[in-house]
Every structure is written in C-alpha cells, then in structure tokens.
Amino acid sequence: MDITFLGTGGSVPTTKRNTVSFALRLGPEVLLFDCGEGTQRQLMASSVSFMRISRIFVTHHHGDHFLGLPGLIQSMNFYGRTAPLEIYGPSDTASLVRDILGLGVFDLKYEVVGHDLLPGDRVVGEGYAVDAIRAKHTVPSLGYVFQEDDRPGRFDPQKATSLGVREGPDFSRLVQGESVKVGDSSVSPSMVMGAPRKGFRLVYSGDTAPCDELRRAAVGADVLVHEATVSSDLKEKAMEFGHSTAKDAAELAMEVGAGTLYLVHISGRYEDPAPLLEEAAGIFSKTVIPNDLDTFVLRPEQKFS
Ligand SMILES: [Zn+2]
Ligand SMILES: [Zn+2]
C-alpha cells in the first residue's frame, strides 16, 4: 500500500506544485482523492497506472479540486477503458459529472457515475471503506476517512516449522485460512497466526478550517493528509476563506496522535515551504511536506502475511 502525491499546491498551480490530488494504491486498485487540473499528466509522470483508478473522491467543487476530471475521463476513454468509474463528492456531484460528460465531442465507451455523498455516508470497497465527513469550508465540502478492514494476524513461520509444517505451499495454505496435514495430525491457522491486526486508517481533510468533525474522525489515523494553505501569521485570512494553517494541522495531528502528517494545498506564495514545515514540525515532529510525485510506502507487502 502506498500513497503518491500528484499535486500538493493550493488554489492555483505553480511551476513547482500542481493543484491537489493524491493516489492511494491498494495492490491492483487505485483510489484517487481530489483531481485538480493537470492530474492526468502528473499520473503519467508517476508510477501509478491511471487505468487502475476505480474510485475518485472529490472533496468539493472549487476548481482546484475537480478540474482534472474532464481530461482524465476522456483520456481513459481514448485508452479503451471498459471498467466503470465511480466519482464521489458532496451534493451536486452527480450533476457535475453529467455536465463534465457533456463537454466537447467524444464518444464515451465506459460508464462514469457520479454520486452525491452526505456527511456520514460510507462507500464500501473490497477490503476497505471510505467515510465522508463534514469539513468547514466556504462551500459544501467533505473530508474522507479511508479505513482498511482489519487483517488476520501475522504468520509465524518458526512456529509452523516447529509443528512440522514444511516451508512452501503449506505455508500459503495456512495464511489463507486452511488447515494442513502433518503426518497423522493437522495444523490449523489459529496455531500459527498472531492476533488480528488493525486495518490502516488514512484521513484526508480536504479544504477546511479546523472543525470538530474532522477532529473526531482523525483519532487513530495512521496517516493524516491535511491542508496547510498558509502559516499561522495569516491565520485570519485562512479562517476567512475556510482554510487551515500549518499550525492548525500540526495541533490536530498532535492531539489525535496521528502516525504521520502530510501537509498539502500549500499556497503558491511559498516558493519554499520551509516556514510551514518549521511551524508544524515544532508541534508535531512526524510532519512531511511532500513534493509533487513523491511516493511513500504506507505498508510494505509482506511475504506469508
Ligand atoms: Zn482548494
Ligand atoms: Zn476550496
């Protein structure tokens, strides 16, 4: 499982930062969160296959969060996509998607479906769920909580060997939940698997001023992707436009005990994001300001688990 930041800038693109989007790669499936203008070109420059995107979660209808959709949808069509594409967002997303499908001249050969989500709605995928939460912005805006299903415990190969199981296909059978024969007796998965492991939790703020709903949702986040449009000397401006400062984001990460904080939606006024990083890392040391196209492994693939 990994995350690729495709765009990390806020409001308008700069030569260094494209508008907001990141991809969450879950094995063969890719979830996209927000889709600023030019996201498809960022995808092509990354190792993420855009044809594998199954679902796109848009936080709100400001252009810097969705204007990449028309081009991406048409390029997927050009490359022969047949799998349906689901696009989620706040109220009026279904009609926004219909409008996008009516732009220009092209013959759509796959299904693109827009869905309106309300805060509290849940989208269930294979092995995960994504919950919509209410953000506090100048227009209806959602944050998202990606929650992976809990996973089986870790396989203990030494234990299995000590019980007489031979390394090879029998190891895989045990991991997949089957018992295996050893001589006259059998070894069951419960004898060689540890306690179930909590699934991964990633919380994305979208554009928002600090708010209670996000605070509640962020509890237990392994990763918090939070907007930090400006530094705290511009706090009043941030509040006026429904945004957060780097300090706000770091305080939230600290309060909820997040694993890692990634700051995005960095205003174009910061050619160098060092002031934002300094401000946030002074409060929450595990803060990262990713550059466009940075990929971070969230969990390495493990043999036998
Ligand atoms: Zn924005
Ligand atoms: Zn916005």
Side-chain angles (χ1 to χ4, degrees):
M1 186 188 298
D2 63 25
I3 184 169
T4 298
F5 291 93
L6 299 161
T8 56
S11 309
V12 289
T14 66
T15 52
K16 282 196 176 155
R17 295 187 188 273
N18 203 51
T19 45
V20 184
S21 182
F22 67 89
L24 186 61
R25 188 156 39 179
L26 318 165
E29 183 176 7
V30 175
L31 307 182
L32 195 69
F33 290 85
D34 276 331
C35 187
E37 181 189 346
T39 294
Q40 62 166 322
R41 198 152 183 273
Q42 298 294 90
L43 280 162
M44 285 166 190
S46 78
S47 62
V48 179
S49 163
F50 79 17
M51 294 299 262
R52 295 204 164 169
I53 295 170
S54 57
R55 297 183 154 109
I56 301 177
F57 296 90
V58 171
T59 56
H60 63 297
H61 295 173
H62 279 153
D64 54 324
H65 296 257
F66 82 89
L67 280 175
L69 290 174
L72 184 61
I73 288 168
Q74 294 198 20
S75 293
M76 285 173 167
N77 199 48
F78 180 85
Y79 283 112
R81 180 173 178 128
T82 54
L85 176 67
E86 313 286 342
I87 300 175
Y88 305 87
S91 49
D92 296 330
T93 295
S95 73
L96 179 82
V97 168
R98 279 195 298 275
D99 288 348
I100 287 171
L101 297 180
L103 286 176
V105 181
F106 73 114
D107 182 13
L108 187 65
K109 300 225 171 55
Y110 66 104
E111 202 182 356
V112 182
V113 189
H115 304 269
D116 296 354
L117 294 181
L118 291 170
D121 282 350
R122 167 170 287 191
V123 175
V124 177
E126 205 169 309
Y128 67 87
V130 176
D131 289 322
I133 56 169
R134 188 191 312 274
K136 189 176 173 186
H137 198 39
T138 51
V139 295
S141 194
L142 299 173
Y144 290 108
V145 177
F146 165 86
Q147 178 66 59
E148 183 192 28
D149 295 350
D150 286 349
R151 295 175 303 136
R154 199 178 294 277
F155 175 65
D156 184 344
Q158 280 174 341
K159 185 82 187 288
T161 307
S162 74
L163 292 169
V165 182
R166 281 207 300 211
E167 187 172 344
D170 281 352
F171 274 24
S172 305
R173 286 192 189 101
L174 284 163
V175 169
Q176 282 154 19
E178 290 174 44
S179 295
V180 299
K181 276 214 141 335
V182 176
D184 291 338
S185 58
S186 80
V187 173
S188 68
S190 65
M191 296 160 77
V192 293
M193 303 295 285
R197 289 170 287 175
K198 257 206 120 14
F200 198 89
R201 185 174 179 87
L202 179 147
V203 178
Y204 175 39
S205 68
D207 283 7
T208 189
C211 65
D212 285 341
E213 196 154 340
L214 179 61
R215 191 167 289 121
R216 280 193 293 275
V219 172
D222 298 289
V223 160
L224 175 60
V225 180
H226 201 296
E227 73 123 299
T229 308
V230 290
S231 56
S232 56
D233 55 323
L234 295 173
K235 169 82 179 166
E236 267 177 44
K237 216 175 176 62
M239 289 300 283
E240 184 187 345
F241 292 100
H243 286 299
S244 295
T245 66
K247 180 167 179 263
D248 292 331
E251 283 176 348
L252 175 61
M254 188 70 192
E255 186 184 325
V256 302
T260 308
L261 170 66
Y262 293 98
L263 299 181
V264 297
H265 204 269
I266 308 298
S267 162
R269 76 179 67 227
Y270 301 99
E271 178 136 1
D272 177 356
L276 300 184
L277 184 60
E278 205 172 300
E279 178 173 304
I283 297 164
F284 185 74
S285 62
K286 288 170 285 177
T287 301
V288 177
I289 300 188
N291 290 313
D292 284 14
L293 303 178
D294 280 353
T295 294
F296 299 88
V297 174
L298 302 178
R299 191 179 57 227
E301 295 308 319
Q302 285 153 347
K303 214 179 162 195
F304 300 132
S305 65

